[in-house]
Amino acid sequence: MEDYKNKLNELPVDIKLRAVDRLKIHLMRQKYGYFSRLCLLMALIGPGILVMLADNDAGGVMTYAQTGSIFGIGFFIPFMIIMLPVAYIVQEMTVRLGAVTHRGHAEMIWKRYGKFWGAFSLIDLVIANVLTLITEFIGITLGMEVFGVSPVFSSVTAIVVISSIQLFLRYFSWEWISLSIAAFNLVFIPLVFFVPHLHWGAVARSFVSWHIPGGINSLFIYVVLANVGTTIAPWMLFFQQSSVVDKGLTVKDIRDGQIDTFLGSLFMVIVAIAIILVTAGTVFGFTHTPNLDIQTILSAISAKMGPLAMRFFALGLVEAGLIAAIAISASTSWAMGEAFGWPKSINIPPLQGWKFYLPGIISLLIAGGIVLIPNAPLGFLNLTVQVVATIFMPAAMMFLLLLLNDKEIMGDHINKPWQNISAFAIVGFLIIMNGIYGITVVFPHIFGK
Amino acid sequence: MKIEDKISRKINLDEDWEDFIKEEGLVDYNKIPVERAIVKGWVQIAFWFLRIYILIMVIMVIIGFSRIH
């Protein structure tokens, strides 16, 4: 026994802590029965649920809220259901890639396709992450204002909380605290049952008619792109793969990782639909501008559903910003560590891993500082971030597909034909939508005003 | 009781420790090089498509932002 413990102590601290976690998994795997299997699944889930609930971030909540407010339920409820397999297909690939290679997405691009594409992906990711973090802090500060908390206090507290859990906790504790925070994302679901005059028959009919109020115009395409952008974003690929690697998942855990990703996708879509239903039932018809701000949405919810419902919505907004800021700052740190070959694990103590933690904390400080600048154009900034992310998504997807079709690194876990067909269809859809959006930018009235 | 002690009471990995480490990927991957991919055939076409796509999108974004008042 002593020999084994000595061997454990010989490992670097981050790998030692991961080894302890993996020993627990190793023990669980040797037991039989449904309960033991469930315990194993519970121990292995995390990255998938976390990435998907973090994807319903403050920007996402605002996008869904604006979608429901502008277009109602006619088109976007069925659309969100379609987004479930889309999100699952894309994110499942990162589970396999991480479990097989034990390396993050940034590292794989950098080392497999060279410094140029590695740097291109890293710069894209870091810029998009900082921009997205700004929207998270806007969500946190606006949500907390409902409870009478000043933006300065909310912003500083959020930075301290997120940095602390990243710096001082090991991966296992960090993941469980993050999942506990993410659970508050479900706060939007009960609100649906208090929406006045919500006709479930109309919701069901939306699947048959798939009606677009106002028809296809540039605003509609803008909102579709924003919804796609918030459902699948580049940071999610990098985050989940790095998370899978830091958790230590192996090829034996791929099935559990897939269940984890599916559960996460399901929760994500249910929450998104709940937000669209709430805002469609309270704000739809109120305005037709994409620059609809969150205060207007909160006021409408308060007027039609009462102040308690509005506070619940604000709480959900704060949670959404907080969990996404945790995930996005971690993805920045992981990606930088992977690209530059630094030690890269949340298991590393702060002083030993300061280079790894620094990029995430700096991105939090930048975003938390910018948000305190008065009169930030929230609605516009939010939709723009989503659109920018969608434009760069095909590039990130292409690297994912190249790696998943690389027999040399993936071996037997290479993409199956149906996975390639689905993934290429998603990339094709993104490119076509981006192209149509680009045309509407150059010729704004091509689809009517 | 430390978690390592709890685990070591239940399992003896002294003999197959190396297998466990290898199977679980508990090594420093920074020290293991990754071979650069050979870009040829459809992969090369994909890279050219990506370059053209990025160029077009950057132009579109510039036009889009220049029209924002």
Side-chain angles (χ1 to χ4, degrees), chain A residues 1 3-5 7-8 15-16 18-20 22-24 26-27 101-103 111-114 117 120 250 252 341-342 344 380 384 391 394-395 398-399 402 408 431 434 438 441-442 444, chain B residues 3-5 7-11 13-14 17 20-21 23-30 32-37 39 42-43 46-47 49-51 53-54 57 60-61 63-65 67-68:
Chain A
M1 193 204 303
D3 186 30
Y4 142 70
K5 285 179 72 180
K7 282 173 182 167
L8 200 60
I15 298 176
K16 178 191 162 182
R18 194 180 302 144
V20 171
R22 292 304 302 176
L23 277 167
K24 283 189 271 185
H26 187 79
L27 280 172
T101 63
H102 300 285
R103 297 174 197 270
K111 291 184 175 166
R112 203 75 183 132
Y113 299 110
W117 291 111
F120 168 79
T250 67
K252 285 182 287 184
W342 301 333
K344 44 188 182 295
F380 171 74
T384 306
I391 288 168
M398 194 198 89
F399 286 113
L402 288 178
E408 213 173 304
I431 291 168
N434 288 341
V441 168
V442 183
Chain B
I3 191 88
E4 291 97 315
D5 296 325
I7 290 168
S8 56
R9 279 159 65 111
K10 293 180 186 171
I11 194 166
L13 281 167
D14 289 350
W17 178 251
F20 173 75
I21 290 286
E23 214 172 276
E24 298 291 341
L26 295 167
V27 290
D28 186 355
Y29 279 90
N30 277 342
I32 303 172
V34 178
E35 208 173 304
R36 180 88 183 256
V39 178
W42 72 271
V43 178
F47 271 103
F49 174 79
L50 183 60
R51 288 184 184 102
Y53 171 81
I54 290 166
M57 279 302 148
M60 292 282 195
V61 169
I63 294 170
F65 275 95
R67 291 188 176 200
I68 295 168

Side-chain angles (χ1 to χ4, degrees), chain A residues 391-444:
Chain A
I391 288 168
F392 283 112
M393 190 65 193
M397 281 282 291
M398 194 198 89
F399 286 113
L400 188 64
L401 279 169
L402 288 178
L403 290 164
L404 263 294
N405 282 288
D406 193 333
K407 185 91 178 158
E408 213 173 304
I409 57 165
M410 290 303 291
D412 294 339
H413 300 280
I414 201 164
N415 258 5
K416 292 181 178 68
W418 74 266
Q419 288 168 317
N420 274 334
I421 291 167
S422 317
F424 276 109
I426 293 166
V427 178
F429 172 73
L430 284 176
I431 291 168
I432 290 168
M433 287 307 293
N434 288 341
I436 295 172
Y437 176 70
I439 291 166
T440 62
V441 168
V442 183
F443 306 104

